[in-house]
Amino acid sequence: MALIACRCPHCGGEVNMDENLESGFCVYCGNKVINQNISKVKVAIDRSSELVNTLTLAKSYLYDRDTYTAQNLLRRAMEIDSRNSDVWYMDAVLDVRNRKSDLERAKQFPSLGIFSYSDYNSYKNNVSSENGKVAYIILAVFGFMGIFATIPITIIFGLYWLTPLVLAVVVVIALIITLVLRSKKTVVTDPHLEEAHNAALSHVSDEEKNKLQ
């Protein structure tokens, strides 16, 4: 153990201090004395490869239209580092309600080259297609219930036009949904994405995979 001489900034007294200590106390006035000679090295953990791997995996699940798993992976990527445009463009696809603010955030950060604005434009149509399928299912359920409910009303009150009217409304809504979905651009398939997906999965343990599901 080597001692070094430090000058107290309060009273000017000379204080002998262990060279490995960051601070000590003045024996004359009792105030704290900082060791200016000690080197303070902060070691930052590099998680860039983990971030890239997580985003690549999230993109592949989004490509497979597994939005639930993609959202979980995106949340993990944000916890690692949200100071890149990729996470915000991907979030703009998955979180429609905050899409506008996500796009604004994306413009503030550099890109990692994994999920760009062009990816956003393509993948949002993928999600829209999935939402369209859900809309068809909901329409079919409520349409069937509506038609079934009008049958006794038609028989009791003689309103024979009611059932055809409900059926016509259901058909019109279905046509509107179809036209909206057809107006969307087809997502361009990426022949290399499956390979990237498998490569990303190889870095994830079975336990982690189960947590994502």
Side-chain angles (χ1 to χ4, degrees):
M1 179 183 69
L3 296 177
I4 58 173
C6 295
R7 185 70 58 182
C8 177
H10 302 280
C11 68
E14 188 176 279
V15 181
N16 293 323
M17 188 185 306
D18 184 346
E19 62 179 356
N20 296 318
L21 293 178
E22 292 186 7
S23 63
F25 293 92
C26 178
V27 295
Y28 303 102
C29 66
N31 285 298
K32 189 174 183 178
V33 179
I34 304 297
N35 184 359
Q36 301 293 341
N37 299 318
I38 191 170
S39 59
K40 300 177 182 179
V41 180
K42 294 183 179 179
V43 180
I45 300 176
D46 184 9
R47 302 183 67 185
S48 57
S49 59
E50 181 184 357
L51 176 62
V52 170
N53 182 70
T54 303
L55 280 173
T56 302
L57 191 57
K59 182 179 180 180
S60 65
Y61 274 109
L62 192 58
Y63 180 80
D64 291 336
R65 302 186 183 185
D66 185 351
T67 55
Y68 177 77
T69 305
Q71 184 69 68
N72 287 336
L73 285 163
L74 178 60
R75 191 177 299 112
R76 177 184 297 180
M78 286 184 170
E79 290 174 355
I80 297 172
D81 187 3
S82 61
R83 294 170 298 177
N84 60 85
S85 63
D86 305 65
V87 296
W88 298 111
Y89 281 134
M90 194 176 294
D91 194 57
V93 172
L94 294 167
D95 188 0
V96 179
R97 291 177 299 177
N98 297 313
R99 177 167 288 174
K100 185 177 180 180
S101 59
D102 285 340
L103 293 176
E104 290 298 321
R105 287 193 187 98
K107 297 175 183 178
Q108 302 174 12
F109 300 106
S111 174
L112 298 172
I114 300 171
F115 203 88
S116 63
Y117 182 72
S118 61
D119 289 319
Y120 155 76
N121 284 324
S122 297
Y123 280 76
K124 71 176 180 180
N125 297 331
N126 235 4
V127 175
S128 297
S129 176
E130 286 299 295
N131 293 339
K133 292 179 181 178
V134 175
Y136 275 126
I137 295 173
I138 295 175
L139 179 63
V141 172
F142 281 94
F144 176 80
M145 292 174 60
I147 294 173
F148 185 78
T150 58
I151 293 176
I153 298 176
T154 300
I155 296 175
I156 295 173
F157 297 99
L159 302 176
Y160 299 105
W161 51 268
L162 187 58
T163 300
L165 177 63
V166 173
L167 180 61
V169 171
V170 172
V171 172
V172 169
I173 295 176
L175 288 174
I176 292 174
I177 295 174
T178 303
L179 291 174
V180 170
L181 292 178
R182 285 187 176 181
S183 67
K184 302 292 184 180
K185 296 180 180 179
T186 305
V187 177
V188 180
T189 58
D190 185 349
H192 303 292
L193 195 56
E194 184 177 356
E195 181 181 348
H197 174 70
N198 293 332
L201 275 177
S202 66
H203 297 285
V204 181
S205 64
D206 292 335
E207 183 180 353
E208 288 296 316
K209 291 176 187 176
N210 294 332
K211 288 181 180 179
L212 295 174
Q213 301 298 332

